[in-house]
Amino acid sequence: QPRSPCCCLAWTLLIGTMNSLVFLLNLLLMFVIFTVVLLPTIVVVYFGFQCHSQVLHSSARYCKSILDDNSSSALIILGFVIMSPLLVVAMAIYCSLARRLQLLVCFQPYSLALYKGGRCCHPGEGAPCCARGRGRQLKAWV
């Protein structure tokens, strides 16, 4: 049975807000995981650029005594070389965590705002935003 226009608007705003919060949660989780995993790359490239005479040429003691231009260039190259495998590791960690928490199941379709009697979650999904424990395992592929 279709909802009234006012009720449809209210449900649309509610579902849009909920989907936005789930999106922001996914974005925050991805940002934290990528920042932690890519921290070695960030540090190595930062020190390489900071101590290179052609870029920033810091007057810090370690730049003068330990790192010259050649070692700074080596740090920059090393940082970009180790970035690729660390990106793969970070994406694998995010995907496994998002699948385990079933965060992508929490997005709700806007058709729930149009008709009465629709459920927010389908039976057996078991996502954190839904009722848990129906025993069916959700697969991301078919």
Side-chain angles (χ1 to χ4, degrees):
Q1 177 180 3
R3 296 184 192 273
S4 67
C6 186
C7 187
C8 183
L9 179 64
W11 274 97
T12 302
L13 291 175
L14 179 73
I15 291 171
T17 303
M18 190 173 84
N19 285 345
S20 298
L21 289 174
V22 170
F23 174 75
L24 289 175
L25 178 70
N26 277 307
L27 200 63
L28 178 69
L29 182 67
M30 188 182 293
F31 176 75
V32 168
I33 289 173
F34 273 75
T35 302
V36 169
V37 172
L38 291 176
L39 192 61
T41 298
I42 294 168
V43 169
V44 167
V45 170
Y46 171 75
F47 282 118
F49 277 124
Q50 184 181 13
C51 294
H52 200 281
S53 66
Q54 298 289 326
V55 185
L56 293 177
H57 194 60
S58 174
S59 61
R61 190 174 60 112
Y62 56 85
C63 287
K64 292 178 180 177
S65 62
I66 299 174
L67 297 174
D68 58 351
D69 280 350
N70 292 332
S71 58
S72 296
S73 297
L75 281 178
I76 295 169
I77 293 169
L78 175 68
F80 284 113
V81 166
I82 65 173
M83 185 186 301
S84 295
L86 289 180
L87 278 172
V88 171
V89 168
M91 187 51 103
I93 290 171
Y94 168 73
C95 288
S96 66
L97 193 58
R99 183 170 181 211
R100 182 174 302 243
L101 295 175
Q102 296 183 352
L103 293 176
L104 301 177
V105 178
C106 294
F107 287 106
Q108 299 301 320
Y110 283 103
S111 62
L112 292 175
L114 299 177
Y115 297 102
K116 293 180 184 176
R119 293 176 298 212
C120 283
C121 296
H122 303 288
E125 288 180 349
C129 60
C130 306
R132 285 194 170 266
R134 296 246 163 72
R136 198 175 109 200
Q137 184 174 0
L138 178 71
K139 292 186 178 179
W141 62 90
V142 177

